[in-house]
């Protein structure tokens, strides 16, 4: 449900950009489904969450919008068929949904997410440089927060103890 791109017009350097709507959910499910305990988001990956981008680009008017609501806000006429979405919300397991119906739904999801991203990218690039930096920092923060919550935060006990001893020495 997401796509990975490298876009030289965005100030992300050589980082891959993983695009999705509520992308941290998609990444979590994707990593969990690998079955590997050490699966993780690659270090050189920026998450572009079209839901977060909609919130930022709308001056915080859109709060947790659906992909269809986001598409409407950015002037995109296409919509996802919500039948499959309603089935899942009602508790039907996706693996029991007709495969052709589920595939069509997921294909719509990817294409609509791509169209939303391209509109957001267009608006993003029209913004002032300072705003662009804040925006990219939000997306980097999102990726790093995801990594910390998924993998845990590793603490260097030796460093902490050295700093504590140094502080105690200065305090006398």
């Amino acid at each position: 449900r997401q796509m990975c791109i490298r876009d030289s017009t965005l100030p992300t350097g050589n980082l891959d950009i993983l695009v999705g709507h509520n992308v941290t959910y998609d990444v979590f499910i994707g990593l969990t489904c690998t079955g590997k305990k050490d699966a993780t988001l690659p270090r050189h990956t920026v998450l572009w969450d079209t839901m977060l981008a909609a919130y930022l680009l709308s001056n915080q008017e859109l709060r947790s919008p659906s992909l269809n609501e986001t598409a409407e806000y950015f002037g995109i006429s296409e919509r996802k068929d919500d039948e499959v979405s309603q089935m899942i919300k009602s508790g039907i397991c996706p693996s029991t949904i007709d495969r052709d119906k589920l595939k069509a739904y997921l294909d719509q999801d990817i294409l609509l997410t791509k169209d939303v991203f391209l509109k957001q990218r267009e608006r993003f690039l029209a913004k002032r440089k300072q705003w662009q930096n804040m925006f990219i920092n939000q997306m980097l923060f999102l990726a790093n927060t995801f990594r910390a919550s998924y993998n845990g935060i590793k603490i260097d006990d030796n460093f902490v103890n050295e700093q504590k001893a140094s502080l105690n020495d200065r305090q006398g």
Side-chain angles (χ1 to χ4, degrees), residues 103-162:
K103 182 183 181 321
Y105 171 80
L106 294 173
D107 287 345
Q108 288 175 338
D109 190 273
I110 290 168
L111 292 174
L112 191 53
T113 300
K114 176 186 170 198
D115 290 345
V116 166
F117 165 73
L118 292 174
K119 288 287 190 177
Q120 290 177 341
R121 177 184 163 273
E122 182 181 301
R123 289 204 190 166
F124 167 80
L125 291 172
K127 296 284 187 181
R128 292 189 327 267
K129 186 74 170 168
Q130 303 92 313
W131 195 93
Q132 289 181 2
N133 289 337
M134 181 276 304
F135 189 91
I136 290 298
N137 284 334
Q138 286 289 320
M139 296 302 177
L140 287 167
F141 180 72
L142 182 64
N144 290 329
T145 302
F146 174 81
R147 285 184 189 94
S149 63
Y150 186 79
N151 300 321
I153 298 174
K154 298 188 179 22
I155 297 174
D156 184 341
D157 289 333
N158 291 333
F159 177 78
V160 170
N161 289 330
E162 288 170 12

Side-chain angles (χ1 to χ4, degrees), residues 1 15 48 57 63 67 78 92 108 129-130 136 148 157-158 162 164:
R1 288 189 46 193
L15 301 177
W48 183 293
L57 289 167
R63 296 174 186 263
L67 183 56
E78 292 85 16
I92 296 173
Q108 288 175 338
K129 186 74 170 168
Q130 303 92 313
I136 290 298
D157 289 333
N158 291 333
E162 288 170 12
K164 183 178 173 183

Side-chain angles (χ1 to χ4, degrees), residues 83-103 106:
E83 180 185 0
V84 172
S85 178
Q86 294 304 320
M87 292 169 76
I88 293 168
K89 285 180 183 174
S90 73
I92 296 173
C93 181
S95 64
T96 64
I97 298 172
D98 176 73
R99 289 182 73 83
D100 290 336
K101 183 180 285 200
L102 184 60
K103 182 183 181 321
L106 294 173

Side-chain angles (χ1 to χ4, degrees), residues 5-7 11-17 43-46 140:
I5 61 163
R6 194 167 281 180
D7 188 331
T12 54
N14 289 328
L15 301 177
D16 289 327
I17 304 169
R43 178 176 282 226
H44 301 289
T45 303
V46 174
L140 287 167

